[in-house]
């Protein structure tokens, strides 16, 4: 199968959408924005040996995860996914059969989350590299941002933490399935935007310690964690604090807001309080947390892991 | 420098734009579409050893070219560029200094073409991989597409062909500069959309023979080339037909349209006629041309070249 044939097969599987004027097959896709719509854009790399391992991740898991990363960013801003574009570079050993199974996983998640594939690029490379762009939309001015947390706000997370890191260590069981096929919290993100007075929000992709630090830097505040984190069964505090890829939502609420115990079917747990002080500092039990989450350029020698 | 610091440096250099609500630094960028605007999306990979060589391409040339590829797709549809997102994966030998020089070239072209960088992703990889998404816009329903060519239409190209392939072979002189820093034909694309009755258009990225084949497949027609192609001085007919990366525009006009000799400062040359027949067939002097342009999956063993 050559490149034109593979593109044609992918094109035939791609769904249509109301606002999509033109999908795969021309120089660009064409999208007709709706009135009052603001568009969200995010792009995420998925690289063999860095974000996944060939031994542990099926091609369809890679396709699922490549899209899930971007959808989680859309969820973090309270958006509805609209469309995505996928760039995929394959080494010689990866056949077009590999590519088709990759798209199996991607289309499976896309169907579940009502996202359509509208374009992309294909190339050869030494290792598998994928980059997925996702576009989502929110009503004008209503996106949940990172920069609105204020001292006194309560800090919450959805779901359980540390499951993905535990799964990567165990390579079996429910935690591993969670690691392989993370579920972007799109319904929750929309419910947070519509129902609660969220002051700041983001998704947990690189670990609570690093991601909360980022939220605090963006908002110009510091944070005190309670230490009573909602741990995935069997996960350690270290995995919950510094393990990445839980893809839960981290958000802050003004102190007057009383959220329900669960929203959109996902439990919500208060884990701390926003405080004044040096922007970005995160304390647990009075001690400043190290920034031990994942940083590609600070931890280049870290053994290849699923992140 | 760690990942957060590099992102911060890039963020400070990124320009602002009227319709950009939020740029680099949150989970997503936020864009406010204007009334009556349709948005164009394209994504292009740039991979070391496939699309460029470390020995011949400076980091700033890579940044220029990574963006130029997407801008050329926007030009092909008659769009104005609005914003871009850049995913960049770097091996251990490439320092953050390399990354900063890459962004020098990217920002240089972005400034010239009024495009702003609104987001992206960074990661480690075994070789340099970059993926750039560009968003452009056109007035509703006015995008130039590939699928409208009809028998009897005249086929045109802008500029001269074969320069990029010649430059890659020579590795010096004006043709090589053209290869390293292609100029997306954005002003020409807009002028074609506004001033001429274009029936189909696309950009020449993989070689005239393969790209005209694609235009003909999309339009369900065939093509006869005159053989009198506008050659770059010193380029062979083979380089003009099958060499890629000229980033000129290929377009068709209804037979009643008489275009000027040049438009937006670029010469236009009639090179053939759209005819009926098996869709996708391209003939030159009565003989069917082979599809010798670049196909990543048909030519995986082709020596690394700048494409």
């Amino acid at each position: 199968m050559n490149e034109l044939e593979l593109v044609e097969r992918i094109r035939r599987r791609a769904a249509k959408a109301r606002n999509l004027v033109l999908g795969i097959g021309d120089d660009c896709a064409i999208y007709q924005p709706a009135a009052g719509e603001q568009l969200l854009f995010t792009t995420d790399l998925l690289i063999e040996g860095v974000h996944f391992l060939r031994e542990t991740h099926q091609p369809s898991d890679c396709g699922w995860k490549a899209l899930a990363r971007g959808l989680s960013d859309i969820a973090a801003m309270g958006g509805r996914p609209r469309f995505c574009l996928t760039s995929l570079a394959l080494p010689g050993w990866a056949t077009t059969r590999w590519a088709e199974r990759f798209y199996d996983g991607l289309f499976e998640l896309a169907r579940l989350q009502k996202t359509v594939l509208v374009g992309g690029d294909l190339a050869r490379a030494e290792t598998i590299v994928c980059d997925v762009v996702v576009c989502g939309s929110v009503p004008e001015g209503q996106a949940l941002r990172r920069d609105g947390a204020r001292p006194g706000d309560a800090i919450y997370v959805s779901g359980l933490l540390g499951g993905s890191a535990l799964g990567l260590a165990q390579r079996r069981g429910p935690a591993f399935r969670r690691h392989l096929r993370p579920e972007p919290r799109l319904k929750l993100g929309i419910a947070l935007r519509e129902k609660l007075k969220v002051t700041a929000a983001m998704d947990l992709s690189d670990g609570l310690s690093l991601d909360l630090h980022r939220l605090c830097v963006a908002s110009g505040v510091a944070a005190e964690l309670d230490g009573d984190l909602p741990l995935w069964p069997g996960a350690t505090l270290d995995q919950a604090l510094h393990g990445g890829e839980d893809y839960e939502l981290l958000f802050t609420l003004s102190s007057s807001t009383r959220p329900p115990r669960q929203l959109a079917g996902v439990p919500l747990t208060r884990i701390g309080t926003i405080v004044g002080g040096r922007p970005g500092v995160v304390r647990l039990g009075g001690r400043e947390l190290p920034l031990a989450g994942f940083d590609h350029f600070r931890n280049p020698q870290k053994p290849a892991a699923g992140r």
Side-chain angles (χ1 to χ4, degrees), chain A:
Chain A
M1 203 189 311
N2 67 27
E3 190 178 339
L4 292 179
E5 288 159 353
L6 180 57
V7 170
E8 181 52 27
R9 285 211 192 188
I10 297 166
R11 192 186 66 76
R12 265 189 253 123
R13 295 178 65 184
K16 289 180 177 20
R18 198 168 40 91
N19 285 9
L20 180 67
V21 180
L22 187 65
I24 297 167
D26 211 305
D27 292 295
C28 301
I30 307 179
Y31 182 80
Q32 171 72 59
E37 181 176 56
Q38 277 183 343
L39 297 178
L40 310 174
F41 293 93
T42 177
T43 183
D44 288 278
L45 288 159
L46 188 84
I47 300 177
E48 181 188 342
V50 179
H51 303 87
F52 74 93
L53 299 174
R54 219 195 303 170
E55 308 86 83
T56 53
H57 289 67
Q58 297 293 321
S60 59
D61 295 331
C62 296
W64 175 289
K65 188 173 169 182
L67 178 58
R69 283 163 58 81
L71 288 175
S72 182
D73 287 320
I74 300 296
M77 297 195 96
R80 284 181 203 278
R82 292 296 183 209
F83 61 84
C84 64
L85 297 96
T86 309
S87 289
L88 182 61
L90 296 176
W93 64 261
T95 57
T96 48
R97 170 93 188 111
W98 194 100
E100 288 201 284
R101 291 190 56 213
F102 172 91
Y103 282 101
D104 285 345
L106 189 137
F107 280 126
E108 191 181 342
L109 180 58
R111 261 193 309 274
L112 282 172
Q113 299 290 1
K114 299 189 173 56
T115 312
V116 297
L117 180 70
V118 305
D121 195 14
L122 289 167
R124 286 282 175 202
E126 286 178 37
T127 49
I128 298 171
V129 178
C130 179
D131 189 46
V132 174
V133 179
V134 185
C135 171
S137 92
V138 285
E140 195 170 330
Q142 291 182 29
L144 306 179
R145 298 167 52 150
R146 292 184 186 179
D147 55 4
R150 295 293 168 259
D153 288 358
I155 307 170
Y156 284 81
V157 289
S158 64
L160 304 174
L161 303 183
S164 186
L166 174 69
L168 183 64
Q170 293 182 327
R171 310 249 160 150
R172 59 185 167 70
F176 190 45
R177 284 199 292 280
R178 168 65 170 263
H179 173 79
L180 293 177
R181 297 222 167 187
E183 289 180 20
R185 297 297 193 193
L186 286 154
K187 278 184 190 162
L188 176 63
I190 292 167
L192 286 174
R193 168 170 61 74
E194 291 179 344
K195 296 185 179 159
L196 294 181
K197 221 169 143 177
V198 172
T199 52
M202 68 182 296
D203 70 322
L204 290 175
S205 56
D206 289 335
L208 176 63
S209 61
L210 185 56
D211 288 331
L212 180 54
H213 162 78
R214 287 170 174 158
L215 185 145
C216 286
V217 168
S219 294
V221 296
E224 298 273 5
L225 288 177
D226 296 336
D228 217 19
L229 299 178
L231 298 186
W232 183 283
T236 64
L237 181 64
D238 195 66
Q239 285 170 332
L241 279 174
H242 310 304
E245 302 198 303
D246 281 323
Y247 296 109
E248 293 295 350
L249 298 187
L250 169 70
F251 57 97
T252 57
L253 298 175
S254 63
S255 56
S256 61
T257 306
R258 290 279 166 274
R261 287 216 183 150
Q262 60 174 43
L263 191 62
V266 189
L268 307 180
T269 308
R270 179 169 178 167
I271 60 168
T273 308
I274 295 292
V275 296
R278 189 156 48 86
V281 170
V282 177
R283 284 195 195 81
L284 174 67
R287 293 179 59 180
E288 188 171 335
L289 280 183
L291 294 181
F294 195 78
D295 180 311
H296 285 281
F297 291 174
R298 206 183 47 216
N299 322 113
Q301 302 314 322
K302 181 166 171 156
R307 83 163 47 242

